[in-house]
Amino acid sequence: MPHSMREGLLGIENLDRAEIEAILKRARDFQPAPNESFKRFDTLRNRMIVNLFFEASTRTRTSFEIAARRLGAEVVSIAASGSSVSKGESLVDTLNTLAAMRPNAIVMRHSASGAPHFLARHLNTPIINAGDGAHEHPTQALLDARTILDRRPTLEGLRVAIIGDIAHSRVARSNVQLLSKFKADIVLCGPPSLLPPDLAKLAPGVRLTNDMAEAIRDADVIMMLRVQLERQHEAPIPTGEYFQFYGLRLEHLQLARPDVLVMHPGPINRGRELSSEVADSQRSVILNQVENGVAVRMAVLESVVQ
Ligand code: ASP
């Protein structure tokens, strides 16, 4: 396993291809076979993982908890609203307090971009970034890559359209970082207010368009994103209008490759980002993404903690 991950996982940006490939390969060992229940491992027995979530989360927090348990670790989950943060304790003091109890890693989600990077400089405990503001969500990009590679031999040359609120999306940023390292052909699409031109600088070769049909044409993968209402400071585009121009409907899929994969990191909003017919269609791999989240997080925890 890559040595750099002993210090934690803060983002995809600083991982190289070999490190990413090692995690994706190891995750395969943790995927249950069809119709089989998951396997239990004890590689992290006697280890302790703290999950510290300062922002709402269902799937990521649960997924990290299940991943830690399946490796035999103990896990404690703390939601910020029930913690001393609400008593005014600073972030560094909260983290130092938790670190004093000697967990082997802290999994952390925070609304401020860069919060885990800042804390990593103050702490010896490895930190795994479970989403920092609009910056990165590395395990999401890894599980997305695992989900694509379960169905396609390579990411190289795949045409990937990422559609929605790109401006506020850490999922988009982490995916662009990962996919560009593997030379995928990336198109980012959204309304002008959610697609600032400087996003083209995220990685070489990234293209931007406000036209959904253009983004989808010949796509191998369509990643839909939730509109991040909690991160927008202006009045949002009304739901109906948003869906009319940027909602994925069955007729759009005709423009894409016949075997196109439809992805979404969740939570999905039916009738805003995509129609129910698309979400429930054969092309949708949304629940496979959730399933792979556990296997990929097991691989990440193992490489950070062991
Ligand atoms: N669950 C993802 C995230 O935490 C996507 C979303 O919330 O829209 O970034």
Side-chain angles (χ1 to χ4, degrees), residues 81-125:
S81 58
S83 76
S84 290
V85 177
S86 56
K87 298 183 184 170
E89 188 172 62
S90 80
L91 199 51
V92 175
D93 284 334
T94 303
L95 268 285
N96 272 328
T97 303
L98 291 170
M101 299 180 210
R102 308 258 167 213
N104 297 93
I106 297 176
V107 177
M108 164 179 182
R109 168 169 290 189
H110 199 279
S111 59
S113 298
H117 308 67
F118 163 73
L119 290 162
R121 289 198 289 275
H122 287 83
L123 245 66
N124 289 325
T125 311

Side-chain angles (χ1 to χ4, degrees), residues 59-60 109 130 137 140 170-171 226 228 230-231 265-267:
R59 75 213 74 225
T60 306
R109 168 169 290 189
H137 192 350
Q140 179 71 46
R170 52 197 177 206
V171 174
R226 184 176 65 89
Q228 307 273 300
E230 71 276 32
R231 286 183 231 290

Side-chain angles (χ1 to χ4, degrees), residues 55-60 109 130-131 133 136-137 140 168-171 225-228 230-231 264-269 273:
E55 261 195 350
S57 169
T58 311
R59 75 213 74 225
T60 306
R109 168 169 290 189
E136 277 233 38
H137 192 350
Q140 179 71 46
H168 303 101
S169 176
R170 52 197 177 206
V171 174
L225 300 173
R226 184 176 65 89
V227 179
Q228 307 273 300
E230 71 276 32
R231 286 183 231 290
H264 192 305
I268 62 171
N269 288 287
E273 303 110 41

Side-chain angles (χ1 to χ4, degrees), residues 11-21 136 155-157 173-186 202-204 206:
I12 298 292
E13 194 176 356
N14 296 323
L15 296 183
D16 60 29
R17 270 175 77 134
E19 290 170 314
I20 293 168
E21 278 163 349
E136 277 233 38
L155 299 174
E156 198 151 330
R173 278 175 186 71
S174 286
N175 264 303
V176 168
Q177 292 295 342
L178 191 152
L179 292 165
S180 67
K181 288 180 202 283
F182 289 88
K183 302 203 173 349
D185 171 14
I186 307 164
L202 269 181
V206 172

Side-chain angles (χ1 to χ4, degrees), residues 16-277:
D16 60 29
R17 270 175 77 134
E19 290 170 314
I20 293 168
E21 278 163 349
I23 296 165
L24 297 178
K25 182 162 177 274
R26 182 62 174 144
R28 294 194 70 164
D29 299 333
F30 299 130
Q31 289 175 313
N35 305 322
E36 257 181 36
S37 166
F38 62 86
K39 290 179 249 163
R40 278 195 177 277
F41 296 76
D42 66 355
T43 45
L44 295 195
R45 199 138 57 109
N46 299 326
R47 305 287 204 281
M48 157 78 77
I49 311 294
V50 169
N51 261 340
L52 181 59
F53 277 66
F54 294 93
E55 261 195 350
S57 169
T58 311
R59 75 213 74 225
T60 306
R61 205 189 70 185
T62 318
S63 183
F64 268 111
E65 274 185 35
I66 294 174
R69 292 213 172 96
R70 285 188 188 169
L71 291 170
E74 284 177 61
V75 54
V76 177
S77 287
I78 305 162
S81 58
S83 76
S84 290
V85 177
S86 56
K87 298 183 184 170
E89 188 172 62
S90 80
L91 199 51
V92 175
D93 284 334
T94 303
L95 268 285
N96 272 328
T97 303
L98 291 170
M101 299 180 210
R102 308 258 167 213
N104 297 93
I106 297 176
V107 177
M108 164 179 182
R109 168 169 290 189
H110 199 279
S111 59
S113 298
H117 308 67
F118 163 73
L119 290 162
R121 289 198 289 275
H122 287 83
L123 245 66
N124 289 325
T125 311
I127 295 184
I128 298 173
N129 181 5
D132 62 317
H135 179 220
E136 277 233 38
H137 192 350
T139 56
Q140 179 71 46
L142 290 165
L143 73 90
D144 289 344
R146 183 64 274 157
T147 306
I148 298 170
L149 289 169
D150 287 344
R151 292 158 184 83
R152 298 289 179 275
T154 172
L155 299 174
E156 198 151 330
L158 277 192
R159 192 176 162 150
V160 183
I162 308 182
I163 301 172
D165 181 359
I166 312 282
H168 303 101
S169 176
R170 52 197 177 206
V171 174
R173 278 175 186 71
S174 286
N175 264 303
V176 168
Q177 292 295 342
L178 191 152
L179 292 165
S180 67
K181 288 180 202 283
F182 289 88
K183 302 203 173 349
D185 171 14
I186 307 164
V187 187
L188 304 179
C189 172
S193 57
L194 302 177
L195 189 74
D198 60 358
L199 285 169
K201 295 188 211 130
L202 269 181
V206 172
R207 284 175 296 132
L208 309 188
T209 177
N210 302 125
D211 180 351
M212 176 111 168
E214 187 187 323
I216 290 173
R217 193 159 296 119
D218 298 326
D220 295 284
V221 177
I222 303 173
M223 291 185 178
M224 300 305 295
L225 300 173
R226 184 176 65 89
V227 179
Q228 307 273 300
L229 295 174
E230 71 276 32
R231 286 183 231 290
Q232 293 185 8
H233 303 298
E234 283 127 38
I237 303 170
T239 303
E241 211 168 300
Y242 185 88
F243 183 67
Q244 187 187 342
F245 290 103
Y246 294 101
L248 188 66
R249 298 181 293 276
L250 279 182
E251 66 259 29
H252 287 123
L253 301 187
Q254 322 260 327
L255 298 169
R257 300 285 297 264
D259 54 356
V260 65
L261 305 177
V262 175
M263 308 179 76
H264 192 305
I268 62 171
N269 288 287
R270 293 166 187 261
R272 192 200 295 261
E273 303 110 41
L274 76 181
S275 70
S276 269
E277 291 79 11

